[in-house]
Amino acid sequence: MQKILIVDDTIKDLQSGSQLLTRSGFQVYTARNGEDALSLLEKKIPDIILLDLIMPGMDGIEVMRIIREKYPEIPVVLCTAADQEPIVRLAMLSGAFGVIVKPYDPDTMLRTIRRSLGEEG
């Protein structure tokens, strides 16, 4: 069973993402902020990370840079409610595998995850 870490400060987004992914056969871990995510990564290594872009404390770009340094093999997909080209460009330049716009569209989310795991072209 493939493991996914969802990092988001919004409980509603954590719950909806977790429910969708659990129903789709993934094992899901969650963290409410960047610090908790980095701490969890010391104990459990997921196959992919879905990382909220805008969070209090460390934002998603900062968390992703740390993840890229320590765990370069884990694909990171940034999640944001802002569907704006500059944000997508910044995410990709920072090393994100992709960007998912919230609220989550189940088909887009699953397609992006499968692509990042090398399951779909």
Side-chain angles (χ1 to χ4, degrees):
M1 179 178 293
Q2 292 173 314
K3 299 174 287 291
I4 297 178
L5 170 59
I6 302 175
V7 185
D8 201 309
D9 62 315
T10 306
I11 291 175
K12 181 181 130 196
D13 290 334
L14 274 180
Q15 290 174 338
S16 66
S18 294
Q19 289 171 357
L20 170 66
L21 296 173
T22 299
R23 282 193 312 264
S24 298
F26 295 98
Q27 182 175 356
V28 178
Y29 307 117
T30 61
R32 296 276 318 270
N33 57 53
E35 293 86 358
D36 289 349
L38 295 172
S39 178
L40 183 65
L41 283 170
E42 294 178 11
K43 301 174 201 119
K44 300 179 183 195
I45 302 295
D47 297 298
I48 184 174
I49 299 169
L50 301 182
L51 180 61
D52 188 21
L53 180 63
I54 299 171
M55 298 183 289
M58 291 194 299
D59 68 18
I61 298 294
E62 185 179 354
V63 175
M64 185 174 58
R65 286 186 180 134
I66 295 169
I67 292 170
R68 299 271 36 97
E69 288 175 16
K70 291 185 173 187
Y71 310 96
E73 71 283 358
I74 302 174
V76 177
V77 175
L78 283 177
C79 303
T80 180
D83 184 12
Q84 298 174 352
E85 182 61 32
I87 292 172
V88 172
R89 193 173 328 116
L90 174 63
M92 301 309 278
L93 290 172
S94 298
F97 181 85
V99 175
I100 298 174
V101 177
K102 299 187 284 183
Y104 297 125
D105 170 66
D107 292 335
T108 301
M109 182 183 212
L110 292 172
R111 187 172 41 255
T112 302
I113 289 169
R114 288 188 184 111
R115 227 182 45 238
S116 71
L117 294 170
E119 297 176 3
E120 228 176 68

